[in-house]
Structures are given as C-alpha cells and as structure tokens.
Amino acid sequence: MTTADSPATAARRPATAWPLENAVFSAAMVAQRLPWVDAPARALGLDMLTRDGVTRGLLAFLRRTRSGRPVQLSTPFGPFLLPLATADAAGLLAAADEAEALAPAVGLTAGGQRYGLSPHVPLPRDAAVPAAELGALLAEDVDRVIAARRGDGTLDWQDWQRGMQRLGRRVVAGAAAVEDTLLSEVLTAATAAADSRSYAGRAEALWRRLAPHLADPDPASLAGRLLAQGPGRKESDPDAAGPAVAHALALVSQAAAETVLQALALLAVGAAASPEAAVAEALRRWPPVAAAVYPVRADFVWQDLAVEAGTEILRVPGWLRGLDGEDRPDPAPTGTSGGAGSSGMPPLCGAPTGCAATRFAALVAEHIVRAVTEAVRPLLIAPRFTADRLPDTLDPRTLVVALEDLTAPQGDGRVTVAVPTAVPVSAFGYAPAAYGALAHASADRLERHAESLAACAGNSGWNTDEEGERFRMVLLDHAERCATAADGVRQAAKRLTD
C-alpha cells in the first residue's frame, strides 16, 4: 500500500488560522450580540458590511486560502475546528459518529454562549403518527390558538407558545397529557440543563412526569405507537421509550412554536408557495440549532485529516449558507430530507447525522401551517421584509404576525376578529415600525367604527320623537370623535414607520 493509500500515514493535523483571521472571526462572533451594528450597512444596502456579511466573507477567504479544508480557529469562546463547507461538516461528523468519538453536542448562540440541546435518541420511522391522521389530532388546538388572537388579529407570543406546547403534548404524549403544562416546563428545564451537573436530577423529574402517560398510552399518539411496536422491540418498554418520547416532544414543541411562525411569515410575504415549502425554507434559512459544538473524546481520521481527542468541532450551517451556490431552497421535501438543506443534517437536533424526530417535527409543522392557512390568511406586521430580501436571522419572539379572516378583502390590511381586545403593550424585540403597523390597523378599526356609528345614526328609527333625535346626536358626536382619533393615530403611525 502506498503512502497516498494509507490514511494512517497520510493523516495530518488541521491547518491553523492566522492571528488576524482569528481576530476577525472572534470580532464577528462578539458583534452578533449587538444587533444595532447592522443598521447603517443595511440602510446603505451594503450587506457585505453586516455581521453575517463579514463572517461569510471571512469564511470564503478561508476556503480559498485553505483549499476548502477544515481550519482550526482560536476564539474567546474556545478553540474550534471549523468545516468550511456543509458537505465537509456532514462527512466529518458522520466519520466521528461512526468511530463513536463524539460526546453529546451543545448549542452555541450567535454571540458564543453555549446552551443545552435535547439529547438525541433514535426514533423508529414506523412509530411516527401517519400524515393522514395528523390533521384530526391538530384541529382542536389550531382552532384554539386562532381564536386567541388579539383584537387586531395579531398573535401574542406567550399565548402562541402555550398553544403549540399543548398541541405537541397531544400529538406526542397523548390526550391525557394535553393539560399537563408541568410536563412541558420540566422538559424545558431538563433540556436547558443538558451537559450540566443538574441534568441528572432534572431528567429524573422528567421521567417521573412522563411515566403516567407511558403507562397507559394514547394509541393515537406517537408514544402509543412507539409502545405498540410489539414484543421483542426495546421501544415497547416504557422505560426504554421514555427518552425517545421526551426528545420527540422537545423537537415537535419547538418546531410548532418557532418554525411554524417563521413559515407563516414566509407565506405572508410570498416567499413560499405551499406549507411544505414554507417549513422547509424556514428550517433551512433559520435552523433552530444554528450552531452546535461537538466535543471529540477519541482520536479519529476523516479522509486525510487527523482529529485529536479534546478538539471541538463547530458546525454553523447558517454561516456557510450562500457559499458555492448553497443559498437556495432544498428541492427535497422535509418529509424525506428532514428539512436540513443540502447537508442533510438535522436543523432541530444536535445529532451528528440524521434524526427521525426532526423529520416528524417538520411534518407536524407542515400540517399546522396548512391547518392555519385553510382557516385564516397570515399578514406580516413586523419585522418588515420582502420575498427578495429575507433577513439572515429571524427570532420568532420578535415576529408579529396577524391572522386575517378569509372573508376580508385580500390586501386591504384589515383584520376581522370576533372579540375585540387591547392592542399589545411593549413586548420583547418590538421596533418602532412594528408599533407603526399596529397603529395603522388601529386607525382603520377606529374609522370603520366611526362609519358604523354614523350609519346607525342615519336609521329612520330615531325620527319618531325628541328622545330619538337626542340619541342620534350622541351617536354622531361619537362618530366624529372616532374619526378624529383615527386621523391622529394614523399621523402617529406615519411618524413611527417613516
């Protein structure tokens, strides 16, 4: 065997980035904590000078100078081995997984802060709820969240999140778990504590909370189907099935609350033509696990690259998007590809390779989007963007989406809701333009109310006596005040949106 044919003799250590490259990459990570730094560049149309633009420019430079091979970077948040292509990231992590050389992954925020991920547990493909049965399972909870809209048709993030967690519990753990809000709270706490000292205690609390739902599982749920696998299958044991059910519940809840809202925004601006395309594009463009760190606990070789124990592999599919024509929708449906884009890696999970729970979560998200859009029409209030200029990041908590009744004329910006409630007060991430858009909607409602009062005053039933004429004058006075208020609110809205 020649040297070229022998990976053991040909293996070499990864190239190390230059000090200036480390400094620029570190600065780009630190800048992710300062969203306002992008404003001047975006105002001038200079996307290359935004945080993501600078980061991608540096990655493109590293690919040219390192022949596209993974590079070792030193940052204030730790040293990382960074694959410079999505295909290399998939191949590197697949080789490490095959060699059983990886410790559980942790998430990494754009600003370099680590957080826990739901521990990956394989889920049998035949345990997932069939697509044909999902619609009936989702209908009640989708109707509840639509009915919980504010008076201006917008969705409150906390109400939406609670509704989607309820839906996730029904689909994954069964009907008996629908009202078990503590289950979702314990699951969230356990996930956040993953890879920390407190995880064991929180995981035990999670198993105790999940045990009653697994002891007598709902046959229509994922847990019921998993436990009905039959004798001889380890998944038919509640103790063995518990981790898989918990992992599926975490991913379904996250996809339902976050990815669905992003997909509705894409449909609202015409950036997707169907629920399936909207969910696939949301997962590809804004993956919930946008960056993950994979600690290497044993030496292994990938191609001719020797990776030593103690190395941390950094996977950042969002930062690599756009290089070598990768900034395009994945033509494969999420039901088969998992919505992971061209890398085939799960966008909802820290698994180094595929994740069946991610595929199921994407399928649930598609059905939720379809159920919502069959009942109402999504309108994007904030942040404002268009189909040809989508944001690099989109935090679901900052999204303001309104659901317009299908009976309302399309495109007039008016939302018809049965129960009027107050326009929301200050909330996380709201920009002045968001309040401007809400104020415009409020002005429209005031103007319609003025028209309704004036029409009521014009009824001939007030002509019969003096008291009727007095009431007519009261109605007309109220109509005038509403019209005046509408003009004032509209002027204020224009000030906020200009």
Side-chain angles (χ1 to χ4, degrees):
M1 179 180 294
T2 66
T3 301
D5 296 328
S6 174
T9 57
R12 50 195 173 87
R13 299 184 64 183
T16 302
W18 300 330
L20 181 58
E21 295 167 341
N22 287 327
V24 174
F25 189 83
S26 299
M29 292 183 71
V30 172
Q32 297 291 337
R33 300 181 177 182
L34 308 171
W36 52 265
V37 302
D38 282 354
R42 290 196 179 279
L44 297 173
L46 301 175
D47 289 350
M48 67 181 68
L49 297 182
T50 62
R51 295 166 297 164
D52 292 295
V54 170
T55 304
R56 290 189 186 129
L58 174 61
L59 294 178
F61 173 77
L62 290 174
R63 290 182 67 170
R64 291 194 300 270
T65 59
R66 303 301 191 281
S67 301
R69 305 290 287 166
V71 62
Q72 187 74 39
L73 287 164
S74 178
T75 76
F77 313 105
F80 299 118
L81 177 61
L82 177 66
L84 298 173
T86 51
D88 284 354
L92 181 65
L93 290 174
D97 185 52
E98 185 177 1
E100 298 182 349
L102 292 179
V106 295
L108 189 73
T109 67
Q113 297 173 325
R114 303 189 182 206
Y115 63 94
L117 296 175
S118 175
H120 169 70
V121 181
L123 179 71
R125 288 178 178 268
D126 53 356
V129 180
E133 300 178 19
L134 274 176
L137 277 178
L138 303 176
E140 178 182 341
D141 295 299
V142 169
D143 289 344
R144 284 173 65 98
V145 296
I146 292 176
R149 290 174 291 175
R150 298 184 179 109
D152 58 1
T154 57
L155 298 167
D156 175 78
W157 164 250
Q158 298 297 335
D159 289 343
W160 170 264
Q161 186 182 44
R162 284 192 291 268
M164 291 298 101
Q165 287 177 342
R166 175 191 173 94
L167 181 151
R169 293 193 297 271
R170 183 190 300 276
V171 171
V172 177
V178 167
E179 302 298 339
D180 191 356
T181 57
L182 184 57
L183 173 60
S184 293
E185 293 175 12
V186 174
L187 175 62
T188 300
T191 299
D195 197 42
S196 72
R197 294 180 181 179
S198 63
Y199 176 70
R202 297 190 181 189
E204 289 178 5
L206 174 60
W207 308 143
R208 288 194 298 270
R209 197 70 199 174
L210 199 55
H213 306 301
L214 299 179
D216 184 20
D218 180 356
S221 68
L222 182 142
R225 293 177 180 277
L226 187 62
L227 290 166
Q229 294 291 305
R233 294 283 293 272
K234 69 175 183 178
E235 294 85 3
S236 60
D237 176 20
D239 291 336
V245 172
H247 184 52
L249 179 57
L251 300 195
V252 169
S253 299
Q254 185 173 31
E258 299 180 7
T259 303
V260 167
L261 208 55
Q262 294 167 334
L264 290 173
L266 289 173
L267 288 171
V269 300
S274 67
E276 294 81 6
V279 170
E281 179 65 1
L283 286 173
R284 186 194 69 85
R285 184 172 289 275
W286 306 300
V289 184
V293 177
Y294 298 80
V296 177
R297 60 187 177 189
D299 297 351
F300 73 97
V301 176
W302 171 70
Q303 296 183 0
D304 64 343
L305 194 70
V307 182
E308 300 177 348
T311 302
E312 290 192 321
I313 300 171
L314 176 61
R315 177 175 70 92
V316 281
W319 290 356
L320 298 177
R321 192 182 67 245
L323 301 180
D324 292 343
E326 293 169 7
D327 193 16
R328 64 181 186 278
D330 183 2
T334 57
T336 57
S337 72
S342 57
S343 69
M345 304 188 72
L348 282 157
C349 175
T353 53
C355 175
T358 284
R359 288 189 289 271
F360 178 63
L363 182 64
V364 172
E366 292 172 7
H367 278 74
I368 296 173
V369 174
R370 181 179 296 108
V372 170
T373 53
E374 285 176 351
V376 290
R377 183 185 303 123
L379 298 173
L380 179 62
I381 305 299
R384 292 295 186 94
F385 57 82
T386 59
D388 58 351
R389 192 174 173 81
L390 298 176
D392 291 315
T393 58
L394 185 61
D395 187 339
R397 295 172 299 171
T398 68
L399 261 176
V400 184
V401 174
L403 301 180
E404 180 186 53
D405 293 340
L406 294 178
T407 55
Q410 186 170 9
D412 70 352
R414 299 180 180 181
V415 181
T416 303
V417 184
V419 182
T421 58
V423 173
V425 295
S426 180
F428 176 85
Y430 275 29
Y435 289 107
L438 292 171
H440 273 297
S442 299
D444 288 342
R445 288 198 310 279
L446 283 168
E447 188 172 324
R448 290 198 302 272
H449 190 52
E451 293 170 355
S452 298
L453 290 171
C456 181
N459 190 281
S460 59
W462 305 113
N463 298 341
T464 56
D465 55 25
E466 182 179 345
E467 190 70 14
E469 291 292 349
R470 186 176 293 109
F471 276 122
R472 170 177 285 155
M473 293 302 103
V474 170
L475 289 172
L476 289 174
D477 287 343
H478 282 309
E480 180 65 24
R481 280 191 287 271
C482 286
T484 302
D487 290 339
V489 172
R490 192 168 286 112
Q491 290 175 15
K494 188 174 185 299
R495 175 80 167 89
L496 287 171
T497 53
D498 284 350

